[in-house]
Amino acid sequence: MTINNSLYYRTFQRDVYGMKMETKSTEYKTVVSDVLIIGAGGAGLRAAIEACDGGASVVIVSKSLLGKAHTVMAEGGIAASVADVDPKDNWEVHFSDTIREGVYMSDWRMVEILVKEAPKAVYELESYGALFDRTPDGKIMQRAFGAHTYKRLCHVGDKTGMELIRTLEDQVLHRDIKVMDELFITKIITKGNAVSGAFGLELRTGKFVVFQTKAIIMCSGGCGRLYKVTSNSWESTGDGVALAYNAGAVLRDMEMIQFHPTGMVYPPGVRGLLVTEGVRGEGGILLNSNGERFMLKYSPIKKELDARDVVARAIYAEIERGRGTKHGGVYLDISHMGAAFIHKKLPAMYTQFKEFAGVDITKEEMEVAPTVHYQMGGIRVDPESCKTNVKGLFAAGEVASGVHGANRLGGNSLADILVFGRRAGFSAAKYTKSAKHIYAVDEKAINEQIARVNSYASIKNPVNPYGLMERLRNAMSEHVGIIRDANGMQKALSTIKRIREKAGRVGVSGGLRFNPGLLVCLELDGMLIVAEAIIRSALERKESRGAHARSDFPKNNPNYAKNILCYKKNEEMELSMSPVPEMPDRLKKLVMT
Amino acid sequence: MDKVKISVFRQDPSVDKEGRYQDYEVPAEEGMVVLDAVHYIENNIDPTLSVRWNCKAARCGSCSAEINDFPRLMCKTRIDTLGSHIKVGPIRAYPLVKDLVTDVSHNFEIAKRIPAFKPKRGLKEPFTMNEMDVLRSQEFRKCIECFLCQDVCHVIREHTTNYVGPRHVVKVASLDMHPLDDLDRSGFLNSNAGLGYCNVTKCCQEVCPEHIKITDNAIIPEKERAVDGSYDPIFWLARKIKDTGRSKHEK
C-alpha cells in the first residue's frame, strides 16, 4: 500500500524564533549564547528561567521533545517543610531526616540549602500557576513518605512531576529563551580549563550544530538505563556525567545507585516500571510465595515502611532464596483495603496494573521486584553556586551529587531540581557578566566530532549497537546490582573492556536524520564511562553503606565515611577519597537530637 | 513461538517520494504492546526504523501513532486487543520527519501565543484555594501532550483555518479555570485561535488517553464564554465597566 505524502501530511508555516542564528558553513550551524543548558527536565527549565531573568541569553537543548523529560514520571511529591499539614515540621527536622537517610555522606551545606529553600520553591511554583492538592482549609496538601518524620510531600495526586514540568515549560515558552529540543550533545568543548562550547546533532534534521557559549549548565539527569530493569525512561543514559567527565569535571559518589523496592515484574514489556511507595504507605503488605509477610522478619518495627534500601534488599533476599513468584518477584497486596479505598487513593496504580498486566489490584496481588531508580552520585559541585571544577561548567539535579549521600529520601529530588536549578541559573548568569570573553570553538574538536558521527553512519559491516548496549545492561544488572562483590564487579569491568574493543566498529545505516540506532552508537561511549565509574567506585568502597551493599564486606566501616571521587587524568580514570565536609556544631546538634 | 504480523509505515521523505507499509514478523510475548513490537523490529530487524518514545508507561505522550487507523499510544495498546491484522502509522496531522515520527513543534509555537497565568492583584502568598475549585482545572492538567486529539480533529486534518486544536483549548481552559487567574482567554480563543471552527463532534474526547472530557468540560464552556463575552450586550457592558474600573485602579 502506498500513501501520497502531499495529500496526507500538511505542512505548517513555522515561525523563526529566538536569537540570531549564523550559518558558518554548509556543514554545521553555529548558535551563540551566554548560557547553554543541556537537559530540559525540571532542573534545566528552572535554570533557564533564572539565567534568562538574570540577563543572560539562554539556549536550552534536550534529547527528547520539550516537556517529555523524565521529570514527568515523578509521582510522590516535593519534599518541603511548608508545615501546612503537620505544623511541627520545619527545616531542621527535614535536615536531620535527609542527613541520616544519606548515612552521613551528604554535603551538609547542600542539604541545608535544600531544606531551607524548598518551601520557597513550592510557593514559587504556585505563583507560576501550579495547582497542588489542597487541605480542607485551602493550604497545600502534604502526604507521608518513607523516612520523613512528618507529612511533608506537597503533591498533585500521583502526577506531581507533570504539573512541575508543564508549569516551568510555560514560563520558559513565554520568555526569550531559545529551545532546541531533540538535539543530542556529543561533546563539551573546552579551551584550557574553561568551557568554550559544545557540539551537537539535531535529531529531527540530522544537521550538526556548534554552540559557542560562555557557560554550560548540565541538567541531563541520571543513568538508570545502564541497567536492564529500571524505572527510568529512555533518555536516562548518563550522558551528562560522561560529557562532564570528558571535559575534566570531578565525579563523586558514583557507586551510590538507588534501587526502588517495588517495580513491576510482569508482563516483560513493563518490567521495572515504578509501583509507588504510596501503595505501602496506604497499607500494602509484602508476601513471599509461601504467603509469609517476610518484612516482619527483616524489620519488625517499621516493616514495609522501612528505608528503600532495606526493603529492596529484603525482597532481593527472598527471591534469591527461592521464595519468589514464578516471574521472579514477590507479592504486594493491598486488596484487603477494599475497592473503594484503592480507587480513591491509588487510581494511577489501579489503571497501570489493569491496563498493562490485566491485574485487578482491588482483588489480586501485584507482583513486584526492586528496580533501578536514581543516581545519588554525579558531578561534584559547589553548594552555593553549583559550579564545577571546570570553569564555566555548572550542574544541577540528578546529574550533580552531594544532596542525597548514600540514599535518597522520596520527594527530595523534586526539591533538589527546583532549588539547585535556580541556583545554577543564577550563578551562570552572574558568571557570564564577569566572563567578558567568548572563546572561539576549536575547529579541530568540531571536525573530530563531525568525523565521529559520520563514521557511525558510513562504516562497512558494522557491529549492532543495540547488541552491545544489551550486553552492558546485562553485566550491570548481574554484577553491579543490589548486592555486589569484588568478583562479580571485576567480571563486569572486563565485559566493559570487551565491549569497548567492539564499540569502535559500531554503526548503522539510515543516515543522520532521526536515526535511533545512530543515537545508541553515540550514547554507548558515555554509558561505558559511567558504568566504569560506578564499578570502580563500588570496588573502592570496601564496606556496605546505604544503597551500596557488598556481600564480601557486609558491615559499615567508619574508615569509609568519605566520598569517593572519580576523574580523568592523562586519559585514564583515576579515583581518590575525600573526607565528607564536617558539619558545623549548630547543625550537628540537629542530627544528634 | 507464536509470531505476530505487523505492518509498519516506512518513509524517509528526503529519499522516498511515497510511503509504504512494510510487513514484519515479531515473536509474540504475553502482555506485549505495540511499542514492544516496534522495538523488536528496531533492535533486531532494522535499526533504521524511526520511532519516538520516552517513558513507555503512558505518562509522557511521545509514542502517539495511528494503530489500525485509530489514534492511540503505542505503549498502551496491547497486541492481543488488535486482532490478526495490525497496522501502525504516524499521526497524520503533522509533517512527517521519518517513518513513525512527525514534527509536532508547531504546538509549541501555539503554546507561546496563549496568555500565561496571571495571578489576581493583591493576593497574599502563600495562596489559599478551595480543593473543589482546584479540581476543575486539575482535570485539564492531566494532559500528557500526546497530540492524539489534534490528530483526530477533522478541522486540523482537512481544513486550513486558524483553529489551534483541542489540546490548546484544554490548555486555555486549565488557565481560565485556575481559581486565582485574572484573565479571560475566551476572547483570544474566539478571535485569534479559531475556536468557532470546532463543531463539537467530540472525536478528541474519544481518543484522549487520559480520559479528559475535552469537548464537554473545556471546549463547550470556552465557546459559551466567548459568545457571552463577544455578543451578549449585558456581558459586554459589564466587561466595559469592569475594564474602566481596572484602568482607574491601575492609574
Side-chain angles (χ1 to χ4, degrees), chain B residues 120-121 181-184 225 234-250:
Chain B
K120 289 181 178 149
R121 265 170 291 123
D181 180 70
D182 201 27
L183 301 177
D184 178 0
R225 284 164 79 135
I234 295 168
F235 274 86
W236 175 85
L237 190 66
R239 206 176 64 241
K240 271 283 173 210
I241 293 165
K242 200 178 157 201
D243 286 352
T244 323
R246 199 171 277 173
S247 57
K248 265 181 200 158
H249 179 88
E250 273 161 7

mmCIF file of all heavy atoms in Angstrom, chain B residues 120-121 181-184 225 234-250:
data_model
loop_
_atom_site.group_PDB
_atom_site.id
_atom_site.type_symbol
_atom_site.label_atom_id
_atom_site.label_comp_id
_atom_site.label_asym_id
_atom_site.label_seq_id
_atom_site.Cartn_x
_atom_site.Cartn_y
_atom_site.Cartn_z
ATOM 1 N N LYS B 120 -4.409 37.147 40.252
ATOM 2 C CA LYS B 120 -5.219 38.328 40.580
ATOM 3 C C LYS B 120 -4.390 39.299 41.406
ATOM 4 O O LYS B 120 -3.500 38.913 42.145
ATOM 5 C CB LYS B 120 -6.449 37.897 41.370
ATOM 6 C CG LYS B 120 -7.447 37.162 40.514
ATOM 7 C CD LYS B 120 -8.664 36.764 41.320
ATOM 8 C CE LYS B 120 -9.653 36.066 40.409
ATOM 9 N NZ LYS B 120 -10.443 35.061 41.081
ATOM 10 N N ARG B 121 -4.743 40.573 41.281
ATOM 11 C CA ARG B 121 -3.978 41.573 42.019
ATOM 12 C C ARG B 121 -4.259 41.483 43.527
ATOM 13 O O ARG B 121 -5.354 41.106 43.940
ATOM 14 C CB ARG B 121 -4.326 42.963 41.506
ATOM 15 C CG ARG B 121 -3.339 43.436 40.441
ATOM 16 C CD ARG B 121 -3.804 44.690 39.778
ATOM 17 N NE ARG B 121 -4.981 44.416 38.954
ATOM 18 C CZ ARG B 121 -6.142 45.039 39.111
ATOM 19 N NH1 ARG B 121 -6.291 45.943 40.031
ATOM 20 N NH2 ARG B 121 -7.157 44.739 38.332
ATOM 21 N N ASP B 181 -6.615 32.945 38.678
ATOM 22 C CA ASP B 181 -6.178 33.593 37.445
ATOM 23 C C ASP B 181 -7.062 34.807 37.146
ATOM 24 O O ASP B 181 -8.261 34.798 37.395
ATOM 25 C CB ASP B 181 -6.254 32.602 36.288
ATOM 26 C CG ASP B 181 -5.812 33.225 34.975
ATOM 27 O OD1 ASP B 181 -4.612 33.502 34.843
ATOM 28 O OD2 ASP B 181 -6.678 33.452 34.116
ATOM 29 N N ASP B 182 -6.431 35.833 36.608
ATOM 30 C CA ASP B 182 -7.132 37.100 36.429
ATOM 31 C C ASP B 182 -7.641 37.317 35.004
ATOM 32 O O ASP B 182 -8.399 38.242 34.748
ATOM 33 C CB ASP B 182 -6.171 38.246 36.794
ATOM 34 C CG ASP B 182 -6.941 39.515 37.127
ATOM 35 O OD1 ASP B 182 -8.095 39.383 37.572
ATOM 36 O OD2 ASP B 182 -6.395 40.601 36.932
ATOM 37 N N LEU B 183 -7.198 36.504 34.052
ATOM 38 C CA LEU B 183 -7.536 36.785 32.652
ATOM 39 C C LEU B 183 -8.743 35.969 32.198
ATOM 40 O O LEU B 183 -9.092 34.964 32.807
ATOM 41 C CB LEU B 183 -6.343 36.445 31.757
ATOM 42 C CG LEU B 183 -5.033 37.174 32.023
ATOM 43 C CD1 LEU B 183 -3.956 36.652 31.088
ATOM 44 C CD2 LEU B 183 -5.198 38.677 31.853
ATOM 45 N N ASP B 184 -9.354 36.433 31.102
ATOM 46 C CA ASP B 184 -10.352 35.626 30.418
ATOM 47 C C ASP B 184 -9.844 35.453 28.990
ATOM 48 O O ASP B 184 -9.738 36.414 28.243
ATOM 49 C CB ASP B 184 -11.710 36.330 30.435
ATOM 50 C CG ASP B 184 -12.772 35.531 29.686
ATOM 51 O OD1 ASP B 184 -12.438 34.444 29.156
ATOM 52 O OD2 ASP B 184 -13.922 35.986 29.627
ATOM 53 N N ARG B 225 -18.376 31.016 26.925
ATOM 54 C CA ARG B 225 -17.789 32.257 27.456
ATOM 55 C C ARG B 225 -17.485 33.232 26.339
ATOM 56 O O ARG B 225 -17.699 34.437 26.472
ATOM 57 C CB ARG B 225 -16.504 31.939 28.211
ATOM 58 C CG ARG B 225 -16.753 31.340 29.575
ATOM 59 C CD ARG B 225 -15.502 30.706 30.086
ATOM 60 N NE ARG B 225 -14.589 31.721 30.609
ATOM 61 C CZ ARG B 225 -13.948 31.589 31.756
ATOM 62 N NH1 ARG B 225 -14.129 30.519 32.488
ATOM 63 N NH2 ARG B 225 -13.140 32.516 32.171
ATOM 64 N N ILE B 234 -25.316 42.527 27.591
ATOM 65 C CA ILE B 234 -25.197 42.770 29.025
ATOM 66 C C ILE B 234 -23.796 42.430 29.501
ATOM 67 O O ILE B 234 -23.155 43.185 30.227
ATOM 68 C CB ILE B 234 -26.263 41.957 29.804
ATOM 69 C CG1 ILE B 234 -27.654 42.482 29.421
ATOM 70 C CG2 ILE B 234 -26.052 42.080 31.311
ATOM 71 C CD1 ILE B 234 -28.791 41.611 29.869
ATOM 72 N N PHE B 235 -23.270 41.291 29.033
ATOM 73 C CA PHE B 235 -21.895 40.914 29.381
ATOM 74 C C PHE B 235 -20.907 41.954 28.849
ATOM 75 O O PHE B 235 -19.932 42.291 29.497
ATOM 76 C CB PHE B 235 -21.562 39.533 28.807
ATOM 77 C CG PHE B 235 -21.973 38.416 29.713
ATOM 78 C CD1 PHE B 235 -23.255 37.902 29.660
ATOM 79 C CD2 PHE B 235 -21.078 37.898 30.634
ATOM 80 C CE1 PHE B 235 -23.642 36.876 30.503
ATOM 81 C CE2 PHE B 235 -21.456 36.865 31.478
ATOM 82 C CZ PHE B 235 -22.751 36.357 31.421
ATOM 83 N N TRP B 236 -21.229 42.453 27.643
ATOM 84 C CA TRP B 236 -20.345 43.439 27.017
ATOM 85 C C TRP B 236 -20.246 44.669 27.905
ATOM 86 O O TRP B 236 -19.177 45.179 28.196
ATOM 87 C CB TRP B 236 -20.907 43.791 25.632
ATOM 88 C CG TRP B 236 -20.137 44.878 24.939
ATOM 89 C CD1 TRP B 236 -19.011 44.738 24.191
ATOM 90 C CD2 TRP B 236 -20.430 46.274 24.939
ATOM 91 N NE1 TRP B 236 -18.578 45.952 23.727
ATOM 92 C CE2 TRP B 236 -19.441 46.920 24.186
ATOM 93 C CE3 TRP B 236 -21.452 47.037 25.526
ATOM 94 C CZ2 TRP B 236 -19.433 48.296 23.974
ATOM 95 C CZ3 TRP B 236 -21.436 48.413 25.314
ATOM 96 C CH2 TRP B 236 -20.429 49.028 24.551
ATOM 97 N N LEU B 237 -21.432 45.114 28.385
ATOM 98 C CA LEU B 237 -21.482 46.304 29.222
ATOM 99 C C LEU B 237 -20.742 46.051 30.541
ATOM 100 O O LEU B 237 -19.937 46.868 30.991
ATOM 101 C CB LEU B 237 -22.951 46.660 29.485
ATOM 102 C CG LEU B 237 -23.178 48.016 30.152
ATOM 103 C CD1 LEU B 237 -22.754 49.149 29.210
ATOM 104 C CD2 LEU B 237 -24.657 48.182 30.530
ATOM 105 N N ALA B 238 -21.014 44.883 31.113
ATOM 106 C CA ALA B 238 -20.369 44.546 32.390
ATOM 107 C C ALA B 238 -18.854 44.552 32.240
ATOM 108 O O ALA B 238 -18.125 45.058 33.095
ATOM 109 C CB ALA B 238 -20.844 43.166 32.851
ATOM 110 N N ARG B 239 -18.404 44.045 31.112
ATOM 111 C CA ARG B 239 -16.959 43.995 30.895
ATOM 112 C C ARG B 239 -16.387 45.390 30.760
ATOM 113 O O ARG B 239 -15.333 45.704 31.286
ATOM 114 C CB ARG B 239 -16.650 43.145 29.665
ATOM 115 C CG ARG B 239 -15.260 42.533 29.712
ATOM 116 C CD ARG B 239 -14.990 41.619 28.542
ATOM 117 N NE ARG B 239 -14.991 42.312 27.275
ATOM 118 C CZ ARG B 239 -15.822 42.060 26.272
ATOM 119 N NH1 ARG B 239 -16.721 41.111 26.384
ATOM 120 N NH2 ARG B 239 -15.759 42.745 25.147
ATOM 121 N N LYS B 240 -17.134 46.227 30.033
ATOM 122 C CA LYS B 240 -16.699 47.619 29.848
ATOM 123 C C LYS B 240 -16.496 48.293 31.199
ATOM 124 O O LYS B 240 -15.488 48.934 31.459
ATOM 125 C CB LYS B 240 -17.758 48.403 29.038
ATOM 126 C CG LYS B 240 -17.543 48.325 27.536
ATOM 127 C CD LYS B 240 -16.413 49.257 27.125
ATOM 128 C CE LYS B 240 -16.101 49.021 25.655
ATOM 129 N NZ LYS B 240 -14.708 49.280 25.329
ATOM 130 N N ILE B 241 -17.507 48.119 32.064
ATOM 131 C CA ILE B 241 -17.454 48.755 33.382
ATOM 132 C C ILE B 241 -16.270 48.214 34.178
ATOM 133 O O ILE B 241 -15.499 48.969 34.761
ATOM 134 C CB ILE B 241 -18.787 48.516 34.143
ATOM 135 C CG1 ILE B 241 -19.910 49.259 33.422
ATOM 136 C CG2 ILE B 241 -18.676 48.986 35.589
ATOM 137 C CD1 ILE B 241 -21.307 48.825 33.835
ATOM 138 N N LYS B 242 -16.115 46.892 34.118
ATOM 139 C CA LYS B 242 -15.017 46.261 34.849
ATOM 140 C C LYS B 242 -13.665 46.784 34.356
ATOM 141 O O LYS B 242 -12.794 47.145 35.147
ATOM 142 C CB LYS B 242 -15.095 44.738 34.643
ATOM 143 C CG LYS B 242 -14.345 43.942 35.697
ATOM 144 C CD LYS B 242 -14.521 42.457 35.434
ATOM 145 C CE LYS B 242 -13.404 41.656 36.059
ATOM 146 N NZ LYS B 242 -13.242 40.350 35.453
ATOM 147 N N ASP B 243 -13.543 46.854 33.033
ATOM 148 C CA ASP B 243 -12.270 47.314 32.448
ATOM 149 C C ASP B 243 -11.973 48.760 32.829
ATOM 150 O O ASP B 243 -10.842 49.118 33.128
ATOM 151 C CB ASP B 243 -12.308 47.179 30.919
ATOM 152 C CG ASP B 243 -12.183 45.720 30.505
ATOM 153 O OD1 ASP B 243 -11.916 44.891 31.396
ATOM 154 O OD2 ASP B 243 -12.369 45.419 29.316
ATOM 155 N N THR B 244 -13.025 49.610 32.815
ATOM 156 C CA THR B 244 -12.816 51.011 33.159
ATOM 157 C C THR B 244 -12.345 51.111 34.605
ATOM 158 O O THR B 244 -11.388 51.821 34.911
ATOM 159 C CB THR B 244 -14.135 51.805 33.001
ATOM 160 O OG1 THR B 244 -14.831 51.294 31.883
ATOM 161 C CG2 THR B 244 -13.865 53.283 32.812
ATOM 162 N N GLY B 245 -13.027 50.374 35.466
ATOM 163 C CA GLY B 245 -12.641 50.369 36.877
ATOM 164 C C GLY B 245 -11.202 49.950 37.036
ATOM 165 O O GLY B 245 -10.455 50.552 37.803
ATOM 166 N N ARG B 246 -10.831 49.004 36.252
ATOM 167 C CA ARG B 246 -9.487 48.462 36.365
ATOM 168 C C ARG B 246 -8.432 49.495 35.962
ATOM 169 O O ARG B 246 -7.451 49.694 36.658
ATOM 170 C CB ARG B 246 -9.380 47.231 35.486
ATOM 171 C CG ARG B 246 -8.233 46.361 35.845
ATOM 172 C CD ARG B 246 -8.315 45.074 35.094
ATOM 173 N NE ARG B 246 -9.199 44.135 35.759
ATOM 174 C CZ ARG B 246 -9.543 42.975 35.239
ATOM 175 N NH1 ARG B 246 -9.109 42.634 34.042
ATOM 176 N NH2 ARG B 246 -10.311 42.140 35.893
ATOM 177 N N SER B 247 -8.707 50.166 34.842
ATOM 178 C CA SER B 247 -7.689 51.107 34.380
ATOM 179 C C SER B 247 -7.537 52.264 35.367
ATOM 180 O O SER B 247 -6.451 52.765 35.587
ATOM 181 C CB SER B 247 -8.021 51.617 32.970
ATOM 182 O OG SER B 247 -9.282 52.206 32.978
ATOM 183 N N LYS B 248 -8.656 52.677 35.996
ATOM 184 C CA LYS B 248 -8.573 53.733 37.009
ATOM 185 C C LYS B 248 -7.687 53.262 38.156
ATOM 186 O O LYS B 248 -6.808 53.974 38.617
ATOM 187 C CB LYS B 248 -9.976 54.034 37.562
ATOM 188 C CG LYS B 248 -10.654 55.198 36.865
ATOM 189 C CD LYS B 248 -12.011 55.432 37.504
ATOM 190 C CE LYS B 248 -12.908 56.211 36.560
ATOM 191 N NZ LYS B 248 -14.328 56.005 36.885
ATOM 192 N N HIS B 249 -7.963 52.044 38.565
ATOM 193 C CA HIS B 249 -7.223 51.477 39.674
ATOM 194 C C HIS B 249 -5.728 51.445 39.364
ATOM 195 O O HIS B 249 -4.889 51.747 40.222
ATOM 196 C CB HIS B 249 -7.733 50.053 39.938
ATOM 197 C CG HIS B 249 -7.028 49.365 41.055
ATOM 198 N ND1 HIS B 249 -7.441 49.479 42.359
ATOM 199 C CD2 HIS B 249 -5.923 48.580 41.067
ATOM 200 C CE1 HIS B 249 -6.618 48.788 43.122
ATOM 201 N NE2 HIS B 249 -5.691 48.220 42.369
ATOM 202 N N GLU B 250 -5.436 51.092 38.135
ATOM 203 C CA GLU B 250 -4.027 50.961 37.769
ATOM 204 C C GLU B 250 -3.331 52.312 37.698
ATOM 205 O O GLU B 250 -2.132 52.410 37.912
ATOM 206 C CB GLU B 250 -3.910 50.193 36.441
ATOM 207 C CG GLU B 250 -3.879 48.687 36.705
ATOM 208 C CD GLU B 250 -4.219 47.861 35.484
ATOM 209 O OE1 GLU B 250 -4.356 48.439 34.398
ATOM 210 O OE2 GLU B 250 -4.366 46.628 35.637
#
